[in-house]
Amino acid sequence: MACASFSKLNAPWSPPIDQHSSAKRLVSSSSTRLVSVPTRAYCAKLLLGFFLAGCRKSLDHLVVVTYLHDLSKPSSQALAYLSSYSTCKRIGIAGASYLCSPAQKRNLVGKTFCTVGVSKYGENVAEYQSHSHATEDKVGVLLLNLGGPETLHDVQPFLFNLFADPDIIRLPRLFQFLQWPLAKLISVLRAPKSKEGYASIGGGSPLRKITNEQAHALKMALEAKNLPVNVYVGMRYWYPFTEEAVQQIKRDRITRLVVLPLYPQFSISTTGSSIRVLERIFREDAYLSRMPVSIIRSWYQREGYIKSMADLIQKELEKFSNPEEVMIFFSAHGVPVSYVENAGDPYKDQMEECIYLIMQNLKDRGVGNDHTLAYQSRVGPVQWLKPYTDEVLVELGQKGVKSLLAVPVSFVSEHIETLEEIDMEYRELALESGIQNWGRVPALNCTSSFITDLADAVLEVLPAATAISSSRKISDEDDNDFVRYAIKMFFGSVLAFVLLLSPKMILVFKNNLL
């Protein structure tokens, strides 16, 4: 299916950043890597850092040791997701095309459901008996993605938006008033190095262009299936922002919405963050809060997605002189181990199952190559999911592997982590380590079978759409209390300056910022 340009949303404004979420997350990319920080080190770097605002040293010198939050309990988002994930339930949606691993099938003997990751709100589920009923509504599909700077001038404000997200830098409630100053400091320090990365791939991220093309292709695929829709693009940290897309949805008087994050596997650091923003917007708006919504939280098990990935891998294998000798190297974006072990993030389990399903599909075609999975984009001394991509590449070279095919499994669009981190950094490392033949599977982008499967996913979840509750959380009300905020601001400032004067704080600052 050919990709065409998709009409952009033109609302030149920057969305307000929600500073009051307690969701537990981190996001890492080759251009926007963030780390957790200890209380003492954080305060030193923040407060003393203001005196060195002109400093342009890389944020790579920032020390990371531990989290400021207690991660002993899973977040409410993770618990809500895991309650459905652990049982692999397929609720209220007929004709789904999802695959199950052997372990799931053993646990679900006699049952006829599989993992979907569909979020439903409210108690009354509107039921559609056929697609003809859906035409009575004005249907919208919202594609969610991370976003990226389109020019080098955009890099620093993009980084600010990223680091101002309380899900990225997760401060204790006592220190949340420092979110924006810290984001400003980090974005200024990090921008020069990030600009180098974006300059190496043409001066900006292609993510918006590709996502717009995917949106147009999806619209065409749905209309070919007799479902007229409006497809919108909402980015988390750059234009068009999620808030812009939602306002356009409201102006278009959409009456039924499917939310489709372009992340195959669920993580509280990607899909979870975007959904939190959506829930806040919808709760605060009378019209939106009544709109029936279905959220596809993960879709890594879909048969069409698995087949599309296997097709691309098989095609690239055939380019090698000896395809059967090629090591298939899956590289996925990493997350801190604490997210999986303490916060209940299902990302690791979903990724491993996804790899199993892809390899099983290839084996059914007679492709029996060895394969391995590693995680990229880690930063700082805290432990991330292992094994690490760079370390595994060196080990494979030492073991005598001569041909390797890199597969960016957690990305469906080309962007800096495929074009710069994999194509440049990891390719160079692989060749230096003794690997002679290097190949890389392209991202799915607008692959026709992939787009068709996304269209099928939209049709399957549409009947399950229900309204998001308009009730507000007590914690949100507490955060808007001026007296509470003033108290937190006062004591937070006092504590910050006390920590600042500690000799250990001065030592940390000298060792890691000077």
Side-chain angles (χ1 to χ4, degrees), residues 335-355:
V335 298
V337 171
S338 60
Y339 270 71
V340 175
E341 295 183 350
N342 300 330
D345 198 328
Y347 178 75
K348 180 176 182 293
D349 288 341
Q350 291 189 4
M351 182 59 66
E352 291 175 354
E353 184 181 356
C354 179
I355 302 306

Side-chain angles (χ1 to χ4, degrees), residues 175-205:
F175 291 98
Q176 285 178 356
F177 69 95
L178 295 174
Q179 191 84 45
W180 282 23
L182 179 60
K184 183 66 174 180
L185 175 64
I186 295 177
S187 64
V188 168
L189 294 176
R190 183 64 185 171
K193 184 174 182 180
S194 294
K195 287 181 179 180
E196 293 178 4
Y198 284 106
S200 69
I201 62 171
S205 172

Side-chain angles (χ1 to χ4, degrees), residues 370-438:
D370 291 334
H371 73 282
T372 189
L373 167 65
Y375 296 91
Q376 66 182 82
S377 307
R378 80 185 191 279
V379 64
V382 296
Q383 187 175 359
W384 289 60
L385 291 181
K386 290 185 176 182
Y388 301 140
T389 293
D390 53 353
E391 294 180 357
V392 174
L393 287 174
V394 174
E395 293 173 0
L396 291 176
Q398 294 173 346
K399 292 178 179 179
V401 172
K402 299 302 180 182
S403 299
L404 183 143
L405 178 62
V407 183
V409 66
S410 56
F411 313 106
V412 299
S413 308
E414 300 290 359
H415 63 304
I416 194 166
E417 286 168 332
T418 60
L419 300 174
E420 193 269 337
E421 191 171 6
I422 294 179
D423 288 353
M424 298 180 186
E425 294 181 23
Y426 291 147
R427 180 180 183 275
E428 180 179 357
L429 177 60
L431 296 178
E432 291 176 352
S433 301
I435 296 172
Q436 299 175 357
N437 304 306
W438 168 274

Side-chain angles (χ1 to χ4, degrees), residues 316-329:
E316 293 301 317
L317 283 174
E318 294 171 353
K319 296 180 180 180
F320 289 83
S321 57
N322 297 301
E324 68 281 354
E325 297 178 1
V326 178
M327 169 69 71
I328 300 176
F329 185 82

